[in-house]
Amino acid sequence: MNKYKIFILIVLALVSGICFFIYNQKISVSVIVPVYNSEKYLETCLDSLEKQTLDSIEFIVIDDGSTDKSYDIMQKYAKKDKRFKIYSKENEGVGKTRNLGIKLAKGEYIGFVDSDDYVSNDYFGELYNVAKKYDADVSITSNVIYVKGNEHQRKWRAISKVDNKEFFNDLSFLIDDAGEQWDKIYKKSFLKKNIIKSYEERLWFEDIWFSTLVAIYAKKIVIDTKGVYFYNVREGSLSAVWDTSGKYLLQGLGMYKKIFERVSLMDITDGRRHILYMKLRNKVSMFIGIFHEVYNKDEEIRDKVGVYFQDFENIVHKKR
């Protein structure tokens, strides 16, 4: 074999090795962005992701059957930045879309951004750095800003009442405040071990399922005080138009029943189980309060709620 052929083989081997390294480079955070008819806000969202200071990051942007130009916008970002991995599928709802993202994610940690929101440039870098510092299951931001037009308002958060503490070994105090799925990053192995996925029924409160399970199972949680999540409050969004009909009240109680059942099967002390049950009871009472009109006016609904409460108590007092 002459020297020229040897040289070519060496070059090809080096190129293959470099390509293999780049392809298999460790991803620190996978950011999942479900998209549905978000063309008005999507570029602002994706711009904020493109500017992230964390190097080892991927953006899994999934179009959930949009009928506007959202997918065209997604394609534009994917063409200029390889960190954007875009997908398109039929409309199935945000829960199934997020679960597809979890399945596709290669990152050590997983985060979520809604397609009409945006984040500060250091958002995922700060969440990841503090998570790695303590090898945490979950890293949560203390900074959520509600944006309504030109108005910016900081949201009060339960973690704000706990001063001078960077990490916790128990997040169950957040069960009362559980709701947002997008204000944290989660270690992927933690989600897999505890079988935590998004709730797939089409509900405006589907985040509560995911966040409550995280609050129940997480053993080490850290708080980042630097990165900022900007939540866009807009007319017509699911969170702005809550359906407080009896149908959704009963669906929500069905969801909580599943959470009670999960707690009943956990390998924890009876004392810890009792604390979780107590916090879940409080959360259910708060949840019912959202539906006070239909609850107070509809005797049939009250009777069905009473059946759920009896189900909860049967689970609590069931012998293990």
Side-chain angles (χ1 to χ4, degrees):
M1 186 179 294
N2 60 41
K3 292 182 179 180
Y4 178 75
K5 288 184 177 179
I6 293 173
F7 175 76
I8 294 296
L9 289 173
I10 292 173
V11 170
L12 289 173
L14 287 172
V15 171
S16 297
I18 292 170
C19 290
F20 179 82
F21 173 77
I22 292 173
Y23 181 79
N24 291 280
Q25 187 178 16
K26 176 184 174 184
I27 301 294
S28 299
V29 179
S30 297
V31 181
I32 298 166
V33 186
V35 177
Y36 179 71
N37 288 353
S38 303
E39 63 177 351
K40 184 177 178 181
Y41 309 93
L42 188 55
E43 290 196 30
T44 300
C45 173
L46 300 185
D47 278 344
S48 75
L49 298 182
E50 190 175 33
K51 295 173 184 175
Q52 289 303 295
T53 55
L54 181 65
D55 292 328
S56 51
I57 192 168
E58 67 173 357
F59 309 114
I60 300 172
V61 189
I62 306 174
D63 178 53
D64 185 32
S66 294
T67 56
D68 64 1
K69 296 181 180 178
S70 292
Y71 190 70
D72 293 338
I73 295 171
M74 291 163 54
Q75 285 181 311
K76 181 178 72 172
Y77 283 84
K79 286 178 181 177
K80 67 177 179 176
D81 190 331
K82 298 299 183 183
R83 297 175 301 170
F84 286 90
K85 316 290 175 31
I86 64 171
Y87 303 87
S88 180
K89 64 178 185 63
E90 63 179 348
N91 180 257
E92 298 175 296
V94 67
K96 288 188 176 181
T97 304
R98 284 172 172 165
N99 283 340
L100 174 59
I102 293 172
K103 183 178 180 180
L104 294 168
K106 297 177 181 176
E108 179 184 6
Y109 284 82
I110 291 174
F112 302 89
V113 175
D114 283 355
S115 59
D116 50 358
D117 299 337
Y118 57 98
V119 295
S120 60
N121 296 354
D122 60 350
Y123 181 70
F124 286 105
E126 294 292 347
L127 283 171
Y128 179 73
N129 289 338
V130 71
K132 289 296 288 182
K133 180 179 179 180
Y134 294 101
D135 188 27
D137 297 322
V138 181
S139 179
I140 179 172
T141 182
S142 62
N143 299 316
V144 175
I145 304 296
Y146 275 27
V147 181
K148 190 173 184 179
N150 294 323
E151 298 179 10
H152 289 63
Q153 181 179 357
R154 185 175 296 275
K155 182 190 176 185
W156 182 88
R157 321 212 67 211
I159 57 175
S160 301
K161 66 184 179 183
V162 186
D163 297 324
N164 303 318
K165 195 158 187 177
E166 261 186 301
F167 76 93
F168 301 86
N169 291 318
D170 179 11
L171 193 63
S172 62
F173 74 95
L174 275 182
I175 289 176
D176 286 348
D177 193 42
E180 294 87 357
Q181 190 167 331
W182 37 254
D183 60 348
K184 312 169 186 72
I185 61 172
Y186 314 86
K187 186 179 284 188
K188 186 177 181 182
S189 59
F190 159 73
L191 297 179
K192 183 177 180 180
K193 176 184 176 182
N194 295 293
I195 317 176
I196 300 175
K197 297 180 181 179
S198 293
Y199 202 70
E200 295 194 344
E201 284 189 46
R202 293 175 185 262
L203 306 172
W204 51 256
F205 49 80
E206 77 279 330
D207 281 14
I208 293 175
W209 166 265
F210 188 96
S211 297
T212 302
L213 292 181
V214 166
I216 286 170
Y217 283 103
K219 291 185 169 61
K220 186 176 285 187
I221 308 94
V222 290
I223 294 177
D224 168 56
T225 59
K226 297 178 181 178
V228 185
Y229 190 101
F230 294 90
Y231 178 84
N232 188 22
V233 181
R234 61 184 179 91
E235 292 184 9
S237 66
L238 282 175
S239 57
V241 186
W242 287 5
D243 187 334
T244 54
S245 66
K247 169 189 172 183
Y248 282 101
L249 168 57
L250 298 176
Q251 283 185 326
L253 293 178
M255 177 189 71
Y256 275 111
K257 181 179 177 180
K258 294 176 184 177
I259 296 175
F260 272 89
E261 290 169 343
R262 289 280 290 261
V263 172
S264 75
L265 298 172
M266 290 176 69
D267 184 18
I268 53 178
T269 66
D270 287 342
R272 169 70 172 166
R273 202 182 320 274
H274 174 74
I275 290 171
L276 294 178
Y277 281 147
M278 180 181 67
K279 292 180 180 296
L280 285 172
R281 283 185 179 117
N282 292 339
K283 181 63 176 180
V284 168
S285 295
M286 292 169 60
F287 179 78
I288 291 174
I290 298 172
F291 298 84
H292 60 90
E293 273 196 47
V294 66
Y295 179 78
N296 290 331
K297 292 180 180 178
D298 193 323
E299 184 176 352
E300 183 180 354
I301 290 294
R302 285 200 304 275
D303 289 342
K304 290 180 178 178
V305 170
V307 172
Y308 271 108
F309 269 105
Q310 186 59 57
D311 288 342
F312 298 153
E313 292 308 303
N314 291 340
I315 293 170
V316 169
H317 297 292
K318 180 177 65 176
K319 291 185 179 180
R320 284 171 292 280

